[in-house]
Structures are given as C-alpha cells and as structure tokens.
Amino acid sequence: MARATHEVEYEQMLLSRHTFLNQRGKHRRDGSLERSAYILLSRIHVQGPMSIGELSDAFGLDASTLNRQTAAIMRAGLVERIPDPDGGMARKFRITDEGARVLHTEREGIVRSLEQVMVDWPEEDIAAFASYLRRFNTDIERLGARPWPRL
C-alpha cells in the first residue's frame, strides 16, 4: 500500500496544474499577473524594499533570473528602484502604488476563485485546510532555510 506522502505528492501536482487558480497569479494584457510577478510583488509588499541579492537569497534563484523578472515588473510600473533606505550600496525594489493596486486586485480575484471552489465547505474545514497548508509551507521553508514573512 502506498504511503500517504505519495497521495500528497500526487494531489500537490494536480493542484499546481489548475490554471483556474494559477493563471491569475509580468502583467498581461488582460490585467492578470504572471505567477513569478505575483510572487515577487507579494514578497516585496510584505517585506518592504529588497535588493537583487536579498531576493536571490529569499527565493534561491540566481541574480540573472531575478534581473529579468524585476526588469519586467519595473517596465510594467509595478516596482521602482530606490536607494537603500538603510544607506547600503545596493539599490532596492519597492512596490509602486500601481503595483500594490494590481497585487490587491489579483489577490482578490484568486480569493473569489477559491471561494467558488470551496462554496460548500464549512468554515471550520477551510480554516483547517489553511492551517495545514501553512504548516506544510513553513516546514518546507524551514528545511530550505528560506522563511517567508507572514502577515
């Protein structure tokens, strides 16, 4: 008999394929964000201005990848480069008002999609599911030594 972790792996793979949730999540003509832009904006929004080096440490990605991704969201007007507020040498990316607006709109659209999916779920089931997802994510972050700031 397969261990439950096999089922978790399979269900996680299925979850990641659902474009119903992920397609919303670089700024497209239809107003939705690409997944990488959504995640970058979310991190900068929660943590505050971040340099390429800080983003590289946070995501475990090389600087060239992050340079491409930040250049795209900067061209879209979603972030701007500013001097380090703490006086450091590296310039940092700060979310713009437009970036915050787009991120909020995107997040609300995803929440509405999730509400459609879970329309028949009791509130306590949704809360339990959220708790398990948080635990799952924080354990992954702990193992990777890349904690994500929580609101």
Side-chain angles (χ1 to χ4, degrees), residues 26-84:
K26 215 161 33 219
H27 197 47
R28 298 182 187 154
R29 277 189 222 124
D30 68 357
S32 66
L33 290 170
E34 289 185 4
R35 183 177 175 272
S36 63
Y38 182 72
I39 295 169
L40 275 171
L41 288 174
S42 293
R43 181 66 184 246
I44 294 168
H45 180 71
V46 171
Q47 189 164 337
M50 297 179 74
S51 67
I52 287 289
E54 290 168 330
L55 290 167
S56 178
D57 289 343
F59 290 100
L61 297 172
D62 60 81
S64 64
T65 299
L66 287 161
N67 277 321
R68 284 191 304 277
Q69 292 176 352
T70 55
I73 60 175
M74 199 162 71
R75 278 192 306 275
L78 306 177
V79 295
E80 60 189 349
R81 289 195 95 161
I82 61 167
D84 184 343

Side-chain angles (χ1 to χ4, degrees), residues 121-130:
W121 291 31
E123 189 62 33
E124 57 271 9
D125 286 359
I126 297 170
F129 184 59

Side-chain angles (χ1 to χ4, degrees), residues 20 111-123 126:
F20 174 71
V111 168
R112 281 191 304 276
S113 295
L114 289 168
E115 287 171 344
Q116 289 175 351
V117 170
M118 296 184 274
V119 68
D120 295 326
W121 291 31
E123 189 62 33
I126 297 170

Side-chain angles (χ1 to χ4, degrees), residues 80-97:
E80 60 189 349
R81 289 195 95 161
I82 61 167
D84 184 343
D86 299 322
M89 295 295 292
R91 294 179 56 81
K92 295 194 173 193
F93 292 95
R94 175 176 62 192
I95 194 167
T96 62
D97 290 342

Side-chain angles (χ1 to χ4, degrees), residues 2-14:
R3 291 192 54 198
T5 51
H6 288 92
E7 186 174 352
V8 170
E9 178 279 328
Y10 192 76
E11 293 299 330
Q12 184 276 330
M13 179 274 301
L14 291 175

